[in-house]
Amino acid sequence: MCKSGEVSFKQNADDVPVRVSVVISVLAWLALLPLISLELELELELDSMAMQRAQDGSCLHALVFVYSLCWVCSVGFVVGQTGQLSVDASSQNARKIPDKMFGIFFEEINHAGAGGLWAELVSNRGFEAGGPNTPSNIDPWVIIGNESSIIVGTDRTSCFERNPVALRMEVLCGSKGTDACPSGGVGVYNPGYWGMNIERRKVYKVTLHIRSSDAVSLSVSLTSSDGLRKLASHTITGSKKQFAKWTKIEFHLKSSQNNTNSRLQLTTSRSGVIWLDQVSVMPFDTYMGHGFRKDLASMLANLKPQFLKFPGGNYAMGNYLRNAFQWSETVGSWEERPGHFNDVWGYWTDDGLGFFEFLQLAEDLGASPVWVVNDGASQNEEVSTATIASLVKDVVDGIEFARGGPNTTWGSVRAAMGHPEPFKLDYVSIGNQECWMLYYRGNYQKFYSAIKAAYPGINVISSCDKSTISPSNPADLYDVHVYASSSDMFSRTSMFDNTPRSGPKVCSNAILRWLYLICMLRISTPRNDFGSSMARQAIVSEYAVTGDDAGKGTLVAALAEAAFLVGLEKNSDVVEMASCAPLFVNDNDRRWSPDAIVFNSWQNYGCPNYWMLHFFKDSSGAMLHPSSVQISNYDQLVASAITWQSSQDKSSHLKIKVVNFGSKAVDLNISVSGLENGIKSSGSKKTVLTSSGALDENSFQQPQKVAPVSSPIDNAMQQMGVSLGPYSLTSFDLLLEPSKLHSTM
Ligand code: AHR
């Protein structure tokens, strides 16, 4: 649970002058007291010396005035700071931020996908989660009835080769007589992932596979959590002959009621043996009709992510290789996917959200997929370079699945799944974060060479840092993961300030430029030409504030991350992409805190850092302008400025973001120079993310406690005095006159 109450951070350097000024003003008033009493005495006793008194009095009044001024000034220091923010908005000093600067990183952690973004309501739909040996446990399926009426177990009689386990129900009771089944019948129910959210008038597609020793009368119902209230129901009936072999049944259920904690029941009052397998309930209403939970996918879309990195994280590796994400086991018809145990984060996944669905999600979000491949390493094992060849081939096959034409071996599988057009997979990350492992570099080179040979246009991402990248260890991008306390994260706003600016982007050498042009002509995709061996750019694919002050997602953590992102914007000549981690948590299975989006079966809310990301959603592809903050004795402010153009109405904006990571209010004079087009007199706005406590969090009860609040700016001008609250992120969005702004925008 989050801690509540006051934040106690280390004393900031800025506290010292404030205290000094308070002490000075108190001393000043003490010194003044005798003079005030002297004035009173003069008034009482020296009537005859009226003129003299008047002069003395005016001296004393002047003194009082001066002291009062000192006091006012010192009070000013206590409640706030005054600073200056200069922005050079000229086009000649602007630099374009990479088009894919801000994206998202999805990991199957915290039931982010299974029981989360993937809308499937049945958990363990193929009865495989108990393992391949039978009889196995069928969790979370539960038996309805007792041993005298039903015997439930598993056997390996499924019609699906790769997931052989099926449920076997031997019904001992019947429809009447002394062996009559209890009212409502016997069978099994599935509560989904901590209760299914069933909504009134919504339609659900039910699919299941049945085999039976006798005629079938099976009731399939969505009910309340105790099974007593039916929301929707359908009875499957058929002769013994009809169900002698495995038969796929599909139908729709329309709910008559709302219930956020429902279950799926399969019950019968007819004796005999029934086998069930691959039981699914999918809501019809999913994001773009592609199976993603609409509310959660919309939250992602609202961030305008420019890339989607998946599927992990440690999830991509597994604790053991046998439990790693293997892309080829997650494609094809959902019924034929074996599913696997996510041993890193401790739960089973049916792999409904497989490789195809990740690519589809990226496409639906307008984001570039970034595939993290298993490079032969788990948390506990490593494949040696001598034996890595089959895994390398597997990855090249995976790229063919995504990018190959519909007539290629793997492209045809994708086409059969309904996507004949190739997906735009341009980024592949070799492994997660295992540069330190014995075989990483040897294996990496095998992957790199094979991928480049088959797909020269793919950007290959290394887990090793920039210093290790060389012509013998080439990479297009190098991956950086940053987990830190909030104060540490705040200080990392300058993390890339001293990164060497080498490579063609900043090289002015004419010969190199000439070589570069030649390579551009020879290789079709410029991104992988000359300089690809030098990993010019970083992808900061995982960053997060962790530890005590991160809680389950605090304001102060979000502000620290905002400052870090401001630093990345300013260093976006050497940082090309960034995404926070983790993205999602199902509140019923919190394996990692904090996370950007919290949900359960029917609710969701964004943590402060989710809202913070909204301040950066216009940055990708925008123009960055030099900006600097001048403020005495207060090192808690960072700021950046961009100009960007709306793709919808083509309006142009100057966006100035300021993070105040300290406990002082700040009066800031903003001075913008070099604007080619003026600021419009109306249409500008200010958006603030703050709260009364630095450790404040959102919750299901108060989902918007820490959320951005916007208000119009009436006096938007190139010189503006603005106020920044303590612990705040403020964005000044200044609407510009219609412009010829920047040709690159
Ligand atoms: O984001 C959670 C975990 O942190 C990721 O799985 C891993 O890559 C990192 O260490």
Side-chain angles (χ1 to χ4, degrees):
M1 284 298 292
C2 61
K3 282 187 269 167
S4 58
E6 288 303 301
V7 196
S8 81
F9 292 107
K10 72 179 168 51
Q11 182 186 315
N12 293 324
D14 54 279
D15 288 335
V16 177
V18 171
R19 293 208 182 134
V20 170
S21 65
V22 170
V23 170
I24 289 171
S25 51
V26 168
L27 288 177
W29 276 107
L30 286 176
L32 192 61
L33 279 177
L35 293 173
I36 295 170
S37 58
L38 175 67
E39 186 187 28
L40 287 175
E41 280 171 38
L42 283 169
E43 250 180 275
L44 290 171
E45 292 170 25
L46 301 177
D47 275 355
S48 61
M49 298 169 72
M51 282 300 292
Q52 182 64 40
R53 190 195 62 203
Q55 281 169 5
D56 286 343
S58 48
C59 274
L60 285 169
H61 282 128
L63 211 53
V64 168
F65 176 74
V66 169
Y67 272 78
S68 299
L69 209 61
C70 290
W71 174 253
V72 168
C73 289
S74 65
V75 168
F77 275 122
V78 173
V79 297
Q81 301 273 340
T82 304
Q84 176 78 26
L85 171 63
S86 308
V87 176
D88 171 1
S90 65
S91 55
Q92 64 268 28
N93 291 328
R95 172 168 47 74
K96 189 168 187 268
I97 295 175
D99 287 331
K100 309 217 177 300
M101 186 72 198
F102 292 114
I104 50 178
F105 163 56
F106 179 97
E107 173 161 22
E108 182 56 90
I109 181 175
N110 305 318
H111 276 90
L117 184 62
W118 190 242
E120 172 64 67
L121 293 172
V122 178
S123 172
N124 189 14
R125 61 189 177 189
F127 307 100
E128 310 290 324
N133 300 320
T134 55
S136 69
N137 114 37
I138 56 169
D139 185 63
W141 291 92
V142 177
I143 302 168
I144 302 171
N146 59 31
E147 282 169 10
S148 64
S149 55
I150 186 168
I151 299 170
V152 176
T154 49
D155 64 21
R156 295 170 59 87
T157 60
S158 168
C159 58
F160 300 110
E161 215 176 284
R162 294 196 296 174
N163 46 17
V165 176
L167 187 82
R168 181 182 186 278
M169 301 198 301
E170 186 174 350
V171 180
L172 307 174
C173 57
S175 52
K176 44 185 184 260
T178 47
D179 291 338
C181 291
S183 134
V186 295
V188 286
Y189 75 83
N190 188 299
Y193 300 91
W194 301 281
M196 299 176 181
N197 181 35
I198 301 297
E199 294 175 78
R200 185 164 174 250
R201 295 208 183 107
K202 290 256 164 105
V203 177
Y204 299 85
K205 180 180 176 188
V206 181
T207 309
L208 68 161
H209 296 253
I210 307 180
R211 184 164 74 94
S212 177
S213 64
D214 295 277
V216 168
S217 176
L218 184 72
S219 166
V220 181
S221 319
L222 293 167
T223 74
S224 53
S225 61
D226 54 10
L228 297 178
R229 220 156 20 97
K230 277 194 180 164
L231 314 173
S233 192
H234 173 82
T235 303
I236 301 167
T237 53
S239 65
K240 177 174 174 170
K241 192 171 165 215
Q242 204 177 332
F243 287 104
K245 288 190 176 150
W246 280 107
T247 306
K248 181 174 182 173
I249 304 285
E250 273 180 313
F251 54 91
H252 296 163
L253 287 178
K254 188 171 180 180
S255 176
S256 59
Q257 298 169 39
N258 286 321
N259 192 313
T260 59
N261 189 14
S262 316
R263 69 192 205 189
L264 173 74
Q265 277 191 186
L266 304 165
T267 50
T268 183
S269 295
R270 189 184 278 266
S271 63
V273 182
I274 300 183
W275 287 263
L276 298 172
D277 201 6
Q278 298 301 338
V279 183
S280 162
V281 178
M282 271 302 256
F284 239 80
D285 189 18
T286 61
Y287 190 74
M288 295 204 179
H290 289 143
F292 309 108
R293 206 173 115 172
K294 221 171 179 178
D295 57 338
L296 300 182
S298 302
M299 289 183 83
L300 299 184
N302 289 342
L303 291 175
K304 296 209 287 190
Q306 298 303 309
F307 68 88
L308 168 69
K309 188 180 176 230
F310 66 88
N314 292 344
Y315 175 72
M317 306 174 74
N319 272 339
Y320 293 94
L321 283 169
R322 65 176 179 277
N323 294 321
F325 178 86
Q326 294 173 35
W327 73 268
S328 58
E329 302 280 272
T330 71
V331 298
S333 109
W334 61 267
E335 288 110 318
E336 296 187 48
R337 302 182 193 180
H340 78 283
F341 181 56
N342 173 359
D343 63 353
V344 178
W345 304 116
Y347 57 91
W348 175 262
T349 159
D350 291 318
D351 285 330
L353 181 51
F355 189 46
F356 178 93
E357 288 75 17
F358 280 120
L359 294 164
Q360 183 66 65
L361 177 64
E363 185 176 274
D364 290 350
L365 294 173
S368 280
V370 180
W371 179 28
V372 182
V373 306
N374 185 289
D375 58 355
S378 70
Q379 301 288 325
N380 295 295
E381 307 145 305
E382 245 192 306
V383 175
S384 73
T385 306
T387 56
I388 198 71
S390 61
L391 264 174
V392 172
K393 181 177 182 312
D394 183 64
V395 165
V396 175
D397 287 347
I399 301 173
E400 183 181 276
F401 175 87
R403 292 179 44 142
N407 298 325
T408 58
T409 310
W410 283 105
S412 68
V413 178
R414 182 199 68 240
M417 292 178 74
H419 203 290
E421 286 302 310
F423 286 110
K424 289 188 174 49
L425 175 64
D426 291 332
Y427 296 87
V428 172
S429 178
I430 309 302
N432 175 31
Q433 51 187 13
E434 52 273 16
C435 178
W436 56 273
M437 288 176 105
L438 182 62
Y439 294 110
Y440 180 79
R441 291 201 206 176
N443 290 353
Y444 172 86
Q445 296 211 4
K446 301 276 183 196
F447 283 101
Y448 182 90
S449 308
I451 292 170
K452 288 289 186 182
Y455 301 96
I458 295 250
N459 293 289
V460 179
I461 302 170
S462 166
S463 295
C464 295
D465 70 29
K466 187 179 171 79
S467 66
T468 69
I469 310 299
S470 68
S472 61
N473 185 39
D476 297 300
L477 293 153
Y478 66 98
D479 195 9
V480 178
H481 295 181
V482 181
Y483 291 93
S485 67
S486 61
S487 54
D488 191 4
M489 186 65 84
F490 178 78
S491 70
R492 286 178 195 235
T493 189
S494 57
M495 181 172 169
F496 290 91
D497 287 2
N498 298 320
T499 299
R501 266 65 180 168
S502 59
K505 271 199 170 176
V506 292
C507 182
S508 58
N509 181 306
I511 295 174
L512 286 182
R513 271 207 300 252
W514 182 75
L515 280 172
Y516 177 68
L517 278 175
I518 291 184
C519 292
M520 290 271 281
L521 292 174
R522 289 186 54 217
I523 300 172
S524 55
T525 309
R527 187 64 189 78
N528 297 288
D529 49 31
F530 174 83
S532 64
S533 64
M534 294 307 290
R536 296 165 293 182
Q537 312 288 59
I539 168 170
V540 184
S541 75
E542 295 185 26
Y543 68 82
V545 169
T546 52
D548 284 350
D549 58 12
K552 286 181 177 172
T554 56
L555 169 66
V556 76
L559 296 177
E561 290 176 7
F564 180 66
L565 293 191
V566 163
L568 297 192
E569 281 184 336
K570 292 189 150 185
N571 287 288
S572 56
D573 55 334
V574 290
V575 180
E576 190 158 311
M577 300 161 102
S579 49
C580 72
L583 192 56
F584 281 121
V585 60
N586 185 321
D587 197 43
N588 294 291
D589 187 31
R590 195 176 268 278
R591 304 275 165 157
W592 185 288
S593 282
D595 310 273
I597 299 171
V598 185
F599 63 88
N600 56 25
S601 72
W602 61 287
Q603 292 166 295
N604 63 64
Y605 66 87
C607 289
N609 69 341
Y610 170 77
W611 293 113
M612 177 277 290
L613 291 174
H614 286 248
F615 287 70
F616 291 82
K617 65 184 184 183
D618 300 315
S619 293
S620 305
M623 300 303 292
L624 178 82
H625 298 277
S627 59
S628 65
V629 174
Q630 294 95 36
I631 185 165
S632 304
N633 302 311
Y634 192 71
D635 54 5
Q636 308 291 305
L637 281 197
V638 295
S640 68
I642 61 164
T643 42
W644 67 281
Q645 197 166 43
S646 159
S647 56
Q648 279 149 20
D649 62 7
K650 302 290 173 219
S651 56
S652 300
H653 306 254
L654 169 64
K655 185 186 197 78
I656 300 171
K657 298 189 287 289
V658 191
V659 182
N660 182 359
F661 190 65
S663 56
K664 306 285 179 287
V666 176
D667 289 328
L668 194 67
N669 294 313
I670 298 180
S671 168
V672 180
S673 62
L675 259 186
E676 280 152 25
N677 298 81
I679 297 167
K680 284 189 96 173
S681 53
S682 63
S684 295
K685 65 172 182 180
K686 168 177 135 174
T687 306
V688 184
L689 181 71
T690 191
S691 191
S692 51
L695 291 182
D696 281 357
E697 300 181 346
N698 291 331
S699 62
F700 289 124
Q701 292 71 38
Q702 287 184 285
Q704 301 270 319
K705 182 175 180 177
V706 190
V709 176
S710 292
S711 55
I713 304 178
D714 297 328
N715 59 342
M717 282 184 292
Q718 303 197 10
Q719 313 289 328
M720 280 195 304
V722 300
S723 302
L724 306 173
Y727 295 116
S728 65
L729 166 60
T730 309
S731 171
F732 301 94
D733 293 282
L734 309 178
L735 182 62
L736 303 179
E737 296 287 355
S739 70
K740 332 122 196 173
L741 198 58
H742 304 303
S743 52
T744 35
M745 283 177 64

